[in-house]
């Protein structure tokens, strides 16, 4: 049955520019006669519909009828844009009929599923025709979701080719009908993100509660898939700081506690997306720069505690700046300059910053590292489609499963005597430094044996990490300035993660105020990380996007329950001790995969822009190249560093001997450190080029954020992002922060 729609009554004081403004608001773009029809013909050829017999090239039913159409009043189009339509030919009738079906929650807007029309072999033609008067002339309009060609963006963020309806011929008139396109001049106003709520094939939605037992399973699954990002950073920084096995175990427990607390805070008071907060690799590079500075190389007494307190002070200052940036609303203004062409090379630069550490450290024990890298690649690439009891075990648990297998393999090598050398004691390195015959084997034994760590024997069963457990933080201008700039890099990283995750979980993108709220809370969470002394700041993990995509789990409650489980594990000292006993070569080989994954995730954000554009690929290529080459220039100003530090730490020691000389040692250290970090240089180059090189908004792929007024009109959008009612009044600027 056709819906009862009152006839359209034109206004007498009609403004001729009203149609143009309406087209801009609803996202209609200018097309010329024959352009779109030709593109559709080239794409689909003379493909026919199997059920109705429609000729998609000519737009006519082979039985003599015309292709079905939907007539939508342009004034009411925004109201009906959220409803799904499916067109079926009327049986026993020559002409196409319009049939309106109820919206199916499993289907996307306009009946689209997973980037294709409903039914793989059925291609429905959907015409959107404004009713402007008598049916003596028809107008054809094409819907553009994001300005990227004639394509529609569904709820998954995938682009779907917009099928353009052919003009319906007039009755008793053989004269071809002229197609009329709406000419919309380029403007700054972006079309609203209509139709975001398509199907994302999530097993568990953002606000769904499948039950207590499934929540436990989904929560543990989520954090196990992120295990490589959560627990391996202490295995890198603590030995470099001169810490012992107990210090490594304590930092791991502290990191588990901070990850759990900050994730719960972000889930309730931040963006409210199912994102895990943790020690990000963004803060790892500046931490290594501070650790390897010249004044700390010769420290022997309390070296670990002194460097940790220095890191705590720098993280606290940088995090306070990030909180001010978010809670003041300044991030809402900066968002207009942050686009996929800026985010993609920046995130990729974070992963590329450790290419000098990855395999040089893993190569210390190739009999462990190479099998680990090969096994995790086999699980994630070759066995990703294998399902066991409906679960793709190898794809979801690739990292923890491969680590367990190779760890057991390393244990058998150790127990079998593969690393037993005549006259050398397993108690390394102190017992083997004195004996010349064992000195050359000490490095191999330290990185390969599984019984090197004594944390299990000395760690307490119950130990609760507490703030300022390493002492009062130390504040210096040089390290604080470094962390302030790094917090900007972390904010850019999080902006890209927010946008990608919102599309994955089948929600509208957040408003700029909500993004600011999330960035501000990330700064607060990093302050907590600085107070507890985890060694790095706490921010949204980039790997969240990959985890949500492979687990198909987007429930906030599952993430919160998993975070509570992490807090519980942090109180068990033996858990941190077990993780601290992972061989360093094994940890480095896992990090090789994790850093490569971050590079891939960063470059994948280019899908929101025109990736084939010469402008975009040039900016990304120049940013990545200079992001590697300029730090290499600063890293060459080191005279005797190679005689003191291992080769994989030399790139992080340029802060003390760089070419910048301003007359102030504090500023010299800060500038030399910042310009020796790949991600900082990459962000600077990409930010300047993308915001100065001319390019259309469609070409640049400018992020489309939701508008604040949509929270009042869309109850589902309000439930996704709004703060709890008792908390929202506590924010002094609710409009700015999207509360």
């Amino acid at each position: 049955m056709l819906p009862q729609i009152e006839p359209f009554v034109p206004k007498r004081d009609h403004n001729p520019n009203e149609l143009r403004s309406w087209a801009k608001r609803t996202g209609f773009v200018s097309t010329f006669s024959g352009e779109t029809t030709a593109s559709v013909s080239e794409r689909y050829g003379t493909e026919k519909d199997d059920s109705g017999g429609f000729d998609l090239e000519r737009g006519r039913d082979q039985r003599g009828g015309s292709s079905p159409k939907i007539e939508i009043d342009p004034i009411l189009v925004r109201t009906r844009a959220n409803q799904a339509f499916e067109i079926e030919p009327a049986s026993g009738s020559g002409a196409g009929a319009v049939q309106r079906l109820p919206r199916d929650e499993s289907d996307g807007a306009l009946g689209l599923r997973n980037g294709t029309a409903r039914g793989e072999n059925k291609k429905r033609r959907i015409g959107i025709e404004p009713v402007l008067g008598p049916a003596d002339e028809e107008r054809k309009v094409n819907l553009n979701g994001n300005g990227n060609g004639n394509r529609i963006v569904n709820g998954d963020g995938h682009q779907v080719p917009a099928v353009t309806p052919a003009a319906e011929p007039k009755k008793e008139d053989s004269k071809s009908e002229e197609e009329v396109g709406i000419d919309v001049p380029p403007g700054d106003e972006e079309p609203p993100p209509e139709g975001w709520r398509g199907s994302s094939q999530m097993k568990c939605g953002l606000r769904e509660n499948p039950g207590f037992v499934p929540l436990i399973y989904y929560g543990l699954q989520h954090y196990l898939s992120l295990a490589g990002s959560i627990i391996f950073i202490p295995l890198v920084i603590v030995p470099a700081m001169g810490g012992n096995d107990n210090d490594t175990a304590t930092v791991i427990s502290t990191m588990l506690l901070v990850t759990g607390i900050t994730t719960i805070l972000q889930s309730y008071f931040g963006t409210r997306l199912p994102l895990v907060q943790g020690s990000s690799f963004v803060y790892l590079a500046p931490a290594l720069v501070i650790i390897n500075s010249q004044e700390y190389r010769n420290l022997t007494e309390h070296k670990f505690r002194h460097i940790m307190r220095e890191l705590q002070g720098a993280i606290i200052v940088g995090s306070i700046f990030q909180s001010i940036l978010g809670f003041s609303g300044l991030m809402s203004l900066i968002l207009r300059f942050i686009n996929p062409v800026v985010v993609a090379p920046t995130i990729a630069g974070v992963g590329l910053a450790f290419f000098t550490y990855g395999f040089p450290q893993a190569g210390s024990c190739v009999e462990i590292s190479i099998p680990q890298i090969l096994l995790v690649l086999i699980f994630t690439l070759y066995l990703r489609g294998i399902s066991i009891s409906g679960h793709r075990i190898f794809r979801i648990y690739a990292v923890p499963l491969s680590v367990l297998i190779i760890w057991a393999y390393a244990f058998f090598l150790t127990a079998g005597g593969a690393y037993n050398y005549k006259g050398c004691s397993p108690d390394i390195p102190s017992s083997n430094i004195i004996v010349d015959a064992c000195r050359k084997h000490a490095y191999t034994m330290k990185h390969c044996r599984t019984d090197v760590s004594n944390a299990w024997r000395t760690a307490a069963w119950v130990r609760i990490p507490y703030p300022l457990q390493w002492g009062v933080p130390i504040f210096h201008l040089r390290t604080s300035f470094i962390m302030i700039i790094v917090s900007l890099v972390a904010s850019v990283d999080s902006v890209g993660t927010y946008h990608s995750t919102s599309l994955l979980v089948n929600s509208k993108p957040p408003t700029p105020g909500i993004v600011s709220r999330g960035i501000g809370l990330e700064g607060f969470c990093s302050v907590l990380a600085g107070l507890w002394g985890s060694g790095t700041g706490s921010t949204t993990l980039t790997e969240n996007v990959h985890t949500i995509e492979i687990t198909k789990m987007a429930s906030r409650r599952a993430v919160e329950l998993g975070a509570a489980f992490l807090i519980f594990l942090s109180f068990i000292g033996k858990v941190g001790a077990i993780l601290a006993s992972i061989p360093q070569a094994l940890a480095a080989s896992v990090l090789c995969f994790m850093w490569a994954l971050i590079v891939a995730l960063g470059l994948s954000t280019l899908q929101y822009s025109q990736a084939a554009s010469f402008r975009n690929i040039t900016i990304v290529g120049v940013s990545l190249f200079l992001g590697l080459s300029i730090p290499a220039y600063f890293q060459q100003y080191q005279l005797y560093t190679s005689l003191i530090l291992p080769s994989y730490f030399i790139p992080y020691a340029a802060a003390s001997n760089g070419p910048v000389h301003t007359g102030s040692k504090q500023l010299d250290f800060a500038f030399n450190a910042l310009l020796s970090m790949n991600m900082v240089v990459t962000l600077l180059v990409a930010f300047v080029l993308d915001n100065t090189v001319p390019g259309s908004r469609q070409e640049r792929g400018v992020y489309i954020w939701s508008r604040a007024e949509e929270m009042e009109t869309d109850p589902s959008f309000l439930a996704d992002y709004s703060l709890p009612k008792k908390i929202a009044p506590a924010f002094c600027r609710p409009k700015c922060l999207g509360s």
Side-chain angles (χ1 to χ4, degrees):
M1 297 295 295
L2 287 174
Q4 298 296 330
I5 302 177
E6 297 181 1
F8 175 74
V9 179
K11 298 180 180 180
R12 294 185 178 181
D13 55 344
H14 174 68
N15 185 0
N17 293 326
E18 183 178 356
L19 180 60
R20 179 173 300 180
S21 301
W22 167 79
K24 289 177 61 178
R25 291 196 309 271
T26 54
F28 286 86
V29 297
S30 174
T31 58
F32 295 94
S33 177
E35 257 186 39
T36 310
T37 305
S39 63
V40 174
S41 300
E42 293 173 1
R43 181 181 295 271
Y44 296 102
T46 57
E47 187 174 1
K48 300 177 182 179
D49 183 83
D50 296 336
S51 60
F54 294 114
D55 188 331
L56 293 181
E57 181 178 7
R58 299 180 181 178
R60 291 189 54 85
D61 190 331
Q62 292 181 352
R63 296 167 297 184
S66 59
S67 61
K69 283 185 166 291
I70 299 176
E71 294 186 354
I72 299 181
D73 192 330
I75 295 181
L76 303 178
V77 67
R78 291 179 62 83
T79 304
R80 300 180 198 168
N82 294 328
Q83 300 178 359
F85 297 88
E86 184 175 21
I87 313 304
E88 299 287 353
S91 58
S93 175
V98 179
Q99 186 176 5
R100 189 173 193 171
L101 300 179
R103 178 179 182 87
D104 187 355
E105 294 299 331
S106 64
D107 295 330
L110 299 178
L112 297 177
R113 181 196 298 270
N114 299 333
T116 59
R118 184 181 304 172
E120 295 183 358
N121 296 326
K122 298 181 181 180
K123 305 219 170 23
R124 308 295 185 194
R125 302 183 59 83
I126 301 177
I128 300 180
E129 179 184 272
V131 182
L132 300 178
D136 55 348
E137 181 177 85
E138 296 184 353
R139 300 175 182 266
K140 188 183 79 170
V141 187
N142 293 313
L143 177 62
N144 186 336
N146 66 345
N148 190 3
N150 294 323
R151 307 179 80 84
I152 299 175
V153 177
N154 66 358
D156 295 334
H158 300 297
Q159 295 179 348
V160 185
V163 181
T164 306
E168 184 177 1
K170 298 180 182 179
K171 296 181 179 180
E172 300 178 0
D173 188 3
S174 60
K175 185 178 180 179
S176 62
E177 191 174 41
E178 181 180 326
E179 296 176 347
V180 180
I182 298 179
D183 184 17
V184 181
D188 295 334
E189 184 179 359
E190 280 291 333
E194 298 288 354
W196 288 106
R197 299 202 171 269
S199 172
S200 59
Q201 291 188 345
M202 288 289 162
K203 295 179 181 178
C204 190
L206 184 63
R207 291 176 280 112
E208 292 183 6
N209 183 9
F212 184 72
V213 175
L215 281 178
I216 295 178
Y217 171 74
Y218 288 141
L220 294 178
Q221 168 186 270
H222 200 84
Y223 286 90
L224 282 175
S225 62
L226 286 170
S229 303
I230 297 175
I231 65 175
F232 284 110
I233 290 182
L235 298 178
V236 176
I237 63 174
V238 175
M241 297 164 64
N244 55 31
D245 299 328
N246 288 331
D247 295 331
T248 304
T250 303
V251 173
I252 291 177
S253 298
T254 303
M255 195 163 289
L256 293 176
L257 175 64
V258 172
T259 299
I261 293 176
T262 56
T263 299
I264 293 176
L265 290 176
Q266 188 69 250
S267 179
Y268 275 99
F269 313 120
T271 59
R272 310 213 66 192
L273 290 169
L275 297 174
V276 176
Q277 307 293 300
S279 295
S280 173
F281 293 117
V282 175
Y283 288 93
L284 179 57
L288 291 176
V289 169
I290 296 174
I291 291 170
N292 292 284
S293 60
Q294 189 171 2
E295 64 177 286
Y296 298 135
R297 295 172 191 170
N298 298 324
L299 287 179
T300 55
E301 187 177 359
H302 304 298
K303 178 180 179 180
F304 169 76
R305 285 182 175 269
H306 188 82
I307 298 177
M308 178 61 78
R309 292 163 59 199
E310 184 81 34
L311 290 175
Q312 287 181 261
I315 292 171
I316 290 174
V317 174
S319 303
I320 292 175
F321 172 81
Q322 188 179 17
S323 293
I324 296 174
L325 185 69
F327 289 136
S328 65
L330 292 177
M331 195 64 199
S332 300
L333 304 177
I334 300 177
L335 277 181
R336 67 186 65 182
F337 304 107
I338 301 176
N339 302 308
V341 181
V342 177
V343 174
T346 301
I347 298 178
V350 173
L352 292 175
F354 307 103
F355 77 97
T356 57
Y357 179 90
F359 199 79
Q361 177 74 302
S364 60
C365 190
V366 293
E367 58 269 26
I368 293 178
S369 59
I370 291 181
Q372 170 63 44
I373 295 174
L374 292 177
L375 191 60
V376 72
L377 290 177
I378 290 173
F379 285 168
T380 55
L381 298 178
Y382 296 97
L383 302 181
R384 69 183 188 275
I386 296 180
S387 178
I388 300 177
S389 300
H391 303 281
R392 296 187 175 181
I393 304 296
F394 298 106
R395 187 179 182 186
I396 297 175
Y397 306 107
V399 171
L401 189 60
S402 61
V403 167
L404 289 177
I405 294 175
I406 301 301
W407 198 359
Y409 163 69
F411 173 79
F412 285 116
L413 288 179
T414 303
Y419 305 112
N420 291 339
Y421 301 97
K422 185 177 180 180
C424 300
S425 171
D427 185 16
I428 56 175
S430 58
S431 62
N432 298 316
I433 295 300
I434 302 177
V435 183
D436 293 337
C438 295
R439 189 172 301 173
K440 62 181 180 179
H441 302 300
Y443 187 78
T444 301
M445 295 174 69
K446 179 181 179 181
H447 288 78
C448 300
R449 296 185 66 96
T450 57
D451 57 355
V452 173
S453 175
N454 61 356
W456 173 261
R457 297 186 294 270
T458 58
W461 277 99
V462 178
R463 185 189 183 280
I464 301 177
Y466 54 92
L468 305 180
Q469 57 187 334
W470 311 114
V472 180
I474 299 175
F475 300 93
H476 283 125
L477 175 62
R478 56 180 187 177
T479 55
S480 300
F481 184 73
I482 292 174
M483 286 300 178
I484 287 176
I485 303 301
V486 171
S487 67
L488 293 177
V489 179
S491 300
V492 173
D493 187 347
S494 298
V495 167
T497 304
Y498 293 164
H499 188 271
S500 300
T501 304
S502 65
L503 300 183
L504 280 177
V505 302
N506 193 25
S507 179
K508 291 183 179 179
T511 64
I514 295 175
V515 174
S516 295
R517 191 177 72 201
I519 296 299
L521 192 63
E522 280 192 15
F524 176 75
C525 293
S526 292
V527 172
L528 297 181
L531 291 174
W532 257 272
S534 62
T536 60
S538 179
T539 183
T540 302
L541 298 179
T542 310
E543 303 85 293
N544 275 290
V545 179
H546 174 70
T547 299
I548 294 174
E549 185 176 2
I550 64 175
T551 61
K552 305 299 181 184
M553 195 286 301
S555 173
R556 273 198 299 250
R557 296 187 177 223
V559 173
E560 294 162 3
L561 188 61
F565 185 70
L566 286 187
I567 295 175
F568 172 74
L569 290 180
S570 67
F571 298 155
I572 305 177
K574 294 295 185 181
V575 173
I578 293 176
L579 297 176
S581 62
I582 297 177
Q584 293 186 11
L586 177 59
S589 59
V590 175
L591 290 174
C592 287
F593 171 77
M594 298 303 302
W595 291 328
L597 180 62
I598 290 177
V599 175
L601 291 173
L603 295 179
S604 68
T605 59
L606 289 175
Q607 64 182 308
Y608 303 111
S609 66
Q610 293 183 2
S613 168
F614 178 77
R615 172 194 181 274
N616 294 345
I617 61 177
T618 302
I619 292 176
V620 173
V622 170
S623 302
L624 289 176
F625 179 80
L626 293 181
L628 294 174
S629 185
I630 293 179
Y633 167 76
F634 278 79
Q635 293 162 9
Q636 69 181 353
Y637 285 88
Q638 305 178 54
L639 300 177
Y640 306 105
T641 305
S642 59
L643 303 177
I644 302 174
L645 297 176
S647 60
Y648 45 81
F649 281 146
I650 292 178
Y652 308 104
S656 301
N657 302 304
V660 175
H661 299 284
T662 62
S664 172
K665 292 184 178 180
Q666 298 281 340
L667 293 180
D668 291 346
F669 183 91
F671 283 114
N672 286 320
L674 290 173
L675 293 176
S676 66
M677 288 189 286
N678 306 81
M679 57 185 180
V680 175
V681 178
T682 302
L683 171 61
L684 180 63
V685 175
F687 183 85
V688 172
L689 292 180
D690 184 56
N691 290 282
T692 56
V693 176
S696 64
R697 297 173 68 87
Q698 291 81 6
E699 182 181 17
R700 298 171 61 194
V702 175
Y703 283 136
I704 301 177
W705 305 102
S706 300
R707 295 186 295 270
E709 55 268 19
E710 294 183 21
M711 294 188 66
E712 302 177 357
T713 59
D714 190 346
S716 180
F717 184 41
L718 181 65
D720 285 347
Y721 293 110
S722 63
L723 292 173
K725 295 182 179 179
K726 296 182 180 180
I727 303 299
F731 286 81
C732 59
R733 298 186 64 187
K735 292 183 179 180
C736 179
L737 299 177
S739 56

